[in-house]
RNA sequence: CGGGGCGUAGCUCAGUCUGGUAGAGCGCAGCGUUCGGGACGCUGAGGUCGCAGGUUCAAAUCCUGUCGCCCCGACCA
């Protein structure tokens, strides 16, 4: 049993708030001596921080094993050919990190893996030949590399991070052994993981994005440091990523066309703000005309001036995989005007009208003529509504499909599960023989968790003005013993004894044996956030007791030294149970 | 990639406008005092002022370029 003494450990705490850290988790992780930045989006986990990360890892591993997944380890170096096969060299662009060698050097043909669908699919292709081998789930906990354009918020968004990625292979979607079954098992395992880690998570419907696939959920942790938004219905029956959230159609509050079309001079006014201010109308009385390009053809989306086009919804409504904003040249050619004056009246292109626009009367929009807008525009009267759909992003005041009001929360994504289908097995020709001896594409699922994000999200969710208030399950140490005066033999000998007894009992305990004043030790203990602090000092010893302080609640228990192990063991057990989310 | 800010000691910063041989606090080392809420005194170590050019008798300071970091936006499997 090796002693865990502070003076032998490596804990560079700091009073100063690091200048580069903007969010609480980042500030606290640096101040508590958990991490140190190496470069943008790259961090060293110092011994204390790594202990915590390893505890997160252990929980993830445990739950994945319980879910029947098998651990393996894939390399970070991938042949670029595999990525070319799935079309993701282009799809991922600069996010895919490449090595640069001279000429046709192996480096030129190698990328650093940002995720492992290609590598795992190749394994499946090589070894899975028969439906009898299915289903199978494989996972790894491994470092990922991504060329993030803008790393930020400490370890919440980095270029290198620890991820658990799991992949499942199936012969069918439904029924025993099917994708749906494993997807649900993984979903449940994720809930267990985040619950055990003590972070407040919300599973939401998600967009599957460029990775492809047909169903997906994200696990979100509400925090101001996040970069996504989720929406929840007030009745609690619906939660989705804002990008994805479906909206109850707006009610038709009546009204009718009262004005004729009228062209107005709006020199140089190309934004909703400028035009609405100039014409003294509300943005919600304007029609925004956004022109996209799909396979060389223009696609026009109409939304209300105070709404934003949701490109994922638009693509779905248009029945295409993705839409891209049109180049200015195409816009000028189509509208016959400079960019900023497009409108639906007389526009000859496929047009998808947002549901909210269909209810508008006497609206203002671009005139397809430079420096002019038109007023008195009425959908249906002045332009035909051939296609109408929900193609906008939800805003405050919208309701969920069931009519319940939506509430918005800023959040960070800590996990994501996808039903991939055959996207990768098709492009990499990973087939098995079914029970008729016919080759079939493997049906796949993939499941990711950001371990560093769990750690940071836990701190975002659990801190106070004095420091971190770790969940017991992932605290670097469960207990710190503050030996208040190292010159007093009774204090040191009892502290050492308690340390040894607790260590023997399997408790993660650190003994603060520094020759420092009490306040100094207390501040450090609070900053680092040991869930339990045991204070051994002359004052208590005179009464034959030590103090046990619970970091979260601030509760103090005065107990005799021989009760400590049993008491602390019980506190840890209860915390592990009660802190579940 | 667009906009903004910043690079001076391990950390937080002053000094830059107005050029004149490098500063403070914290931390660190030594000695002494102190010891239940970030103590105090004395002594001390530590910086090619991000880097490269240029202007000048002289550059942390002015000019040009470049690299890096942070924030907002775009992007985000």
């Amino acid at each position: 049993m090796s002693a865990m003494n502070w003076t032998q450990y490596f804990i560079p705490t700091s009073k100063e708030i690091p200048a580069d850290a903007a969010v609480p988790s980042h500030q606290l992780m640096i101040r508590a001596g958990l991490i140190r930045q190496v470069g943008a989006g790259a961090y060293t986990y110092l011994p204390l921080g790594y202990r915590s990360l390893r505890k997160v890892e252990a929980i993830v591993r445990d739950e994945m094993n319980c879910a029947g997944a098998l651990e393996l380890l894939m390399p970070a170096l991938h042949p670029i050919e595999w990525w070319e096969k799935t079309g993701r060299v282009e799809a991922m662009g600069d996010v895919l990190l490449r090595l640069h060698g001279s000429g046709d050097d192996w480096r030129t043909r190698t990328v650093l893996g940002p995720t492992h669908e290609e590598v795992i699919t190749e394994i499946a292709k090589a070894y899975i030949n028969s439906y009898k081998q299915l289903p199978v789930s494989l996972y790894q906990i491994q470092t990922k590399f991504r060329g993030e354009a803008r790393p930020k918020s400490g370890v919440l968004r980095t270029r290198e991070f620890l991820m658990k990625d799991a992949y499942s292979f199936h012969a069918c979607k439904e029924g025993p052994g099917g994708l749906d079954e494993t997807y649900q098992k993984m979903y449940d395992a994720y809930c267990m993981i985040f619950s055990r880690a003590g972070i407040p998570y919300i599973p939401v419907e998600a967009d599957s994005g460029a990775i492809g696939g047909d169903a997906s959920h994200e696990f979100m942790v509400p925090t101001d440091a996040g970069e996504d938004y989720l929406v929840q219905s007030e009745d609690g029956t619906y939660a989705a990523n804002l990008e994805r959230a479906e909206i109850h159609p707006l009610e038709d509050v009546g009204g009718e066309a009262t004005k004729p079309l009228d062209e107005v001079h709006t020199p140089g006014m190309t934004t909703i703000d400028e035009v609405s201010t100039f014409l003294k109308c509300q943005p919600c009385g304007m029609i925004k005309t956004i022109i996209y390009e799909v396979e060389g053809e223009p696609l026009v989306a109409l939304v209300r001036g105070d709404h934003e086009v949701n490109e994922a919804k638009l693509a779905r409504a248009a029945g295409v995989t993705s839409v891209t904003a049109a180049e200015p040249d195409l816009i000028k050619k189509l509208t016959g005007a400079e960019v900023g004056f497009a409108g639906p009246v007389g526009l000859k292109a496929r047009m998808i009208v947002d549901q909210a626009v269909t209810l508008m009367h006497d609206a203002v929009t671009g005139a397809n003529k430079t420096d002019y807008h038109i007023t008195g525009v009425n959908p249906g009267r002045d332009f035909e509504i051939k296609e109408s759909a929900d193609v906008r992003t939800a805003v405050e005041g919208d309701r969920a499909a069931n009519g319940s009001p939506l509430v918005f929360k800023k959040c960070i994504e800590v996990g994501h599960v996808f039903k991939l289908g055959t996207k990768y097995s098709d492009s990499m020709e990973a087939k098995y023989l079914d029970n008729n001896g016919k080759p079939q594409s493997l049906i796949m699922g993939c499941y990711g968790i950001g371990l560093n994000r769990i750690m940071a999200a836990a701190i975002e969710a659990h801190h106070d003005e004095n420091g971190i208030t770790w969940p017991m399950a992932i605290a670097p140490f469960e207990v710190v013993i503050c030996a208040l005066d190292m010159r007093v033999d009774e204090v040191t000998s009892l502290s050492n004894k308690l340390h040894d007894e607790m260590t023997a009992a399997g408790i993660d305990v650190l003994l603060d044996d520094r020759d420092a004043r009490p306040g100094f030790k207390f501040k450090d203990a609070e900053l680092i956030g040991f869930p339990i602090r045991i204070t051994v000092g002359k004052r208590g010893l005179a009464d034959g007791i030590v103090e046990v302080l619970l970091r979260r609640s601030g509760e103090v228990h005065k107990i005799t030294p021989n009760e400590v192990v049993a008491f602390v063991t019980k506190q840890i057990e209860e915390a592990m149970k009660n802190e579940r989310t």
Side-chain angles (χ1 to χ4, degrees):
Chain A
M1 166 168 53
S2 72
M4 285 293 187
N5 286 5
W6 197 303
T7 54
Q8 258 84 64
Y9 216 74
F10 187 85
I11 310 177
T13 59
S14 167
K15 261 195 290 203
E16 308 277 6
I17 296 172
D20 279 347
V23 303
S25 63
H26 192 195
Q27 293 179 354
L28 289 169
M29 287 174 87
I30 293 172
R31 288 189 54 213
L34 307 182
I35 57 169
R36 177 168 174 89
Q37 182 167 20
V38 171
Y43 290 85
T44 295
Y45 284 77
L46 299 170
L48 210 54
Y50 193 47
R51 279 184 76 96
S52 185
L53 191 59
R54 295 270 295 181
K55 288 195 176 183
V56 173
E57 193 180 323
I59 292 171
V60 172
R61 182 172 280 125
D62 186 42
E63 292 299 332
M64 291 314 291
N65 292 342
C66 284
L70 303 168
E71 188 169 11
L72 49 53
L73 183 61
M74 293 180 268
L77 299 177
H78 303 184
I80 195 167
E81 285 82 357
W82 294 2
W83 285 79
E84 282 164 348
K85 262 191 188 169
T86 58
R88 289 212 290 177
V89 172
E90 199 186 9
M92 298 202 73
D94 288 341
V95 173
L96 186 63
L97 287 174
R98 306 180 59 167
L99 303 184
H100 285 285
S102 52
D104 201 22
D105 191 73
W106 65 272
R107 281 163 253 255
T108 310
R109 303 195 311 269
T110 300
V111 303
L112 292 177
T115 171
H116 281 64
E117 282 79 12
E118 280 77 2
V119 179
I120 201 80
T121 305
E122 197 278 337
I123 289 170
K125 176 186 164 112
Y127 296 123
I128 299 178
N129 310 308
S130 159
Y131 72 95
K132 293 175 188 170
Q133 293 169 279
L134 299 172
V136 61
S137 297
L138 301 167
Y139 78 98
Q140 67 172 346
I141 295 171
Q142 185 251 19
T143 301
K144 299 286 186 268
F145 299 90
R146 293 182 189 181
E148 290 294 350
R150 188 152 98 78
K152 59 173 183 175
S153 306
V155 302
L156 284 178
R157 189 166 194 80
T158 52
R159 292 190 172 135
E160 182 184 329
F161 55 95
L162 198 59
M163 179 169 166
K164 185 286 300 175
D165 48 323
Y167 307 87
S168 66
F169 298 90
H170 311 269
C172 56
K173 287 189 175 171
E174 287 140 31
L179 173 60
D180 292 351
E181 184 183 79
T182 297
Y183 186 87
Q184 187 60 44
K185 218 182 265 182
M186 289 291 178
Y187 184 105
D188 294 341
Y190 274 38
C191 291
M192 275 304 289
I193 288 166
F194 302 126
S195 167
R196 283 177 62 183
I199 58 178
Y201 69 99
I202 301 170
V204 303
E205 288 181 15
D207 209 62
S208 44
I211 195 169
D214 56 8
S216 161
H217 286 84
E218 283 169 335
F219 291 79
M220 299 294 205
V221 178
T223 163
D224 286 339
E227 44 192 16
D228 287 322
Y229 281 90
L230 67 82
V231 297
Q232 274 178 307
S233 64
E234 261 177 20
D235 65 7
T237 59
Y238 182 72
N241 189 311
L242 176 59
E243 294 169 358
R244 160 92 184 186
E246 283 167 25
I247 307 168
H248 189 84
L250 294 185
E251 254 176 70
D252 191 348
V253 292
E256 55 187 52
T258 59
K259 293 180 186 166
L261 287 181
D262 189 21
E263 202 170 83
V264 290
H265 192 45
T266 51
M269 297 178 192
T270 59
T271 65
I272 294 287
D273 267 359
E274 287 165 353
V275 177
S276 64
T277 304
F278 182 69
L279 296 178
K280 298 187 172 57
C281 64
Q282 295 295 314
C284 65
M286 298 185 61
I287 299 172
K288 210 190 287 189
T289 309
I290 310 285
I291 300 168
Y292 290 89
E293 188 176 342
V294 177
E295 289 152 12
E297 291 297 310
L299 173 69
V300 176
L302 300 186
V303 296
R304 228 164 65 181
D306 58 331
H307 290 155
E308 294 296 330
V309 176
N310 182 312
E311 295 181 9
K313 286 184 181 179
L314 179 65
R316 219 173 300 138
V320 299
T321 50
S322 72
V323 298
T324 48
E327 297 295 326
D329 281 351
L330 178 69
I331 295 174
K332 284 180 203 168
K333 201 174 130 207
L334 182 68
T335 64
E338 290 295 317
V339 174
F341 300 96
V345 181
L347 202 60
K348 297 216 168 16
R350 182 175 177 195
M351 203 182 287
I352 297 185
V353 183
D354 184 68
Q355 184 267 338
V357 172
T358 64
L359 307 177
M360 295 174 73
H361 301 290
D362 298 335
V364 176
T365 191
N368 295 321
K369 182 175 167 187
T370 302
D371 292 342
Y372 285 90
H373 280 75
I374 45 177
T375 60
V377 175
N378 286 277
R381 186 191 76 177
D382 303 315
F383 62 91
E384 196 181 347
I385 304 174
K386 282 188 192 154
E387 293 181 78
S388 160
D390 165 18
V391 294
R392 68 183 175 92
T393 300
V395 294
E396 300 275 356
D398 274 321
R399 289 175 298 145
N402 71 357
S404 176
L406 289 173
V407 288
F408 290 64
K409 281 182 185 159
K410 205 173 185 184
C411 57
I412 184 82
E413 174 191 353
V414 290
H416 203 157
V417 292
F418 294 90
K419 291 184 187 175
L420 283 180
T422 59
K423 181 180 161 75
Y424 294 92
S425 48
D426 281 342
S427 54
M428 296 194 69
E429 296 168 317
K431 297 180 189 305
Y432 67 97
L433 293 181
D434 67 14
N435 56 4
N436 297 315
K438 281 172 65 176
Q440 304 282 356
S441 286
L442 287 160
I443 296 171
M444 295 173 58
C446 86
Y447 320 91
I449 287 184
L451 302 233
N452 323 64
R453 277 188 180 180
I454 291 183
M455 194 174 151
I459 297 171
E460 288 293 334
H462 302 297
H463 67 271
D464 61 21
E465 64 281 5
N466 294 314
I468 304 169
T469 55
W470 285 112
M472 183 66 75
I474 61 172
F477 285 93
E478 292 159 338
V479 179
V480 64
I481 301 170
C482 283
L484 285 197
D485 191 336
M486 293 304 290
R487 297 167 311 177
V488 180
D489 287 345
E490 292 77 16
V491 170
T492 54
S493 62
L494 178 58
S495 296
N496 281 318
K497 182 164 172 277
L498 292 175
H499 166 277
D500 292 349
E501 285 176 2
M502 281 190 276
T503 302
I507 296 165
D508 282 334
V509 55
L510 183 72
L511 170 58
D512 188 349
D513 59 340
R514 293 175 297 175
D515 180 19
R517 295 163 66 91
F520 188 85
K521 293 188 174 194
F522 293 156
K523 287 291 185 190
D524 263 355
E526 278 150 19
L527 175 60
I528 293 166
F530 302 92
I532 296 174
R533 184 184 89 196
I534 296 175
T535 310
V536 180
K538 275 185 297 190
R539 196 183 286 178
L541 283 183
D543 301 331
I545 57 105
V546 297
E547 280 177 17
V548 178
L549 172 74
L550 306 182
R551 175 69 176 87
R552 282 247 180 125
S553 64
E555 275 173 53
V556 179
H557 300 265
K558 294 182 193 296
I559 61 175
T560 61
N562 59 18
E563 295 173 312
V564 166
V565 170
F567 184 80
V568 167
T569 302
K570 184 162 155 276
Q571 290 298 328
I572 291 172
E573 270 173 23
E574 283 183 8
M576 295 268 199
K577 198 166 61 195
N578 298 334
E579 288 171 4
R580 288 201 178 193
T581 50

